[in-house]
Every structure is written in structure tokens, then in C-alpha cells.
Amino acid sequence: MNDTESSRLALLRFLERVQERDLSRTRRWIADEERREAERRVGEARRLPAPEWLIERGLDRNNIVAVHTGECWDPGKRAKPATRAQAIEALRQQVPACSKCLPDPARSLQS
């Protein structure tokens, strides 16, 4: 065998090793991504459903500040889940509906 044929074979063997390493790394990336996706699905399955209504309390926790829909983008830190009946009762007691909620809680409860 001459030198060019052996050096060509050595280069091909080197290329094979590099590609095997690349394939191994790609398979690790795929396994990691599959694990993350499985964890995400489990997390979504365990997540509690969003409440339909929220009642925001004041600093002293005794007075109610506002009634929010569960989809409100700015319910405040002191908002807690509430039932439909609790939201209606709060609105009857003149607690204001959140002006940021869409749709307006007062209109939603009428239907």
C-alpha cells in the first residue's frame, strides 16, 4: 500500500470518529429535550385550573378592594380565588369590579 492510500484511510477513520462523537452528542441533546418535554407535560397535568373569580383584599385583609375575573392580567398580590357566589355577593355590597379585567366582572355575572 502506498502512503496516499494509508493517509486517506487514516483521514476517513478520523472522520468516522468525529461523526460518531457528533452523533452521540446529538442523541444526548435529543434525550435531554425529551426529558424536558415530559417534565413540562407532567407539570401542566398537575397545575390547578385557574380560578374563575378572584377577590382582592386590602392591606388589613378585612375589606375587599375589587372583584377580578380569573383572566385578569393585574389581580394584585392579595387576590384570592373566589366562587361565583362570593363574587356576586361582593359586587352586591358595592365592591368595585376591576377596571382592567376583560370582560367586566359585573357584566359577566349577569349572564
Side-chain angles (χ1 to χ4, degrees):
M1 220 194 289
N2 64 31
D3 282 340
T4 57
E5 287 179 11
S6 70
S7 64
R8 182 174 161 82
L9 183 59
L11 288 173
L12 289 172
R13 294 278 185 213
F14 172 76
L15 176 62
E16 180 182 39
R17 286 191 307 274
V18 169
Q19 289 176 333
E20 284 175 348
R21 245 181 318 185
D22 286 346
L23 181 58
S24 175
R25 182 180 55 216
T26 302
R27 287 181 174 151
R28 278 194 316 273
W29 289 345
I30 290 170
D32 290 345
E33 191 60 31
E34 287 172 341
R35 180 185 44 75
R36 280 191 292 272
E37 182 66 22
E39 289 171 355
R40 187 191 60 76
R41 282 192 303 263
V42 167
E44 284 179 359
R46 289 182 181 170
R47 185 176 299 141
L48 295 174
E52 192 172 349
W53 301 101
L54 299 167
I55 291 183
E56 183 179 359
R57 300 207 174 262
L59 289 174
D60 64 1
R61 306 237 179 222
N62 291 327
N63 63 332
I64 298 175
V65 177
V67 176
H68 301 268
T69 64
E71 297 149 1
C72 181
W73 61 272
D74 189 21
K77 293 181 180 178
R78 294 178 303 275
K80 300 293 181 205
T83 64
R84 178 182 165 94
Q86 290 169 326
I88 290 172
E89 184 58 32
L91 292 171
R92 282 188 184 142
Q93 294 176 9
Q94 305 302 311
V95 174
C98 173
S99 61
K100 300 170 191 166
C101 293
L102 291 176
D104 180 18
R107 272 189 276 133
S108 299
L109 288 171
Q110 292 171 357
S111 58

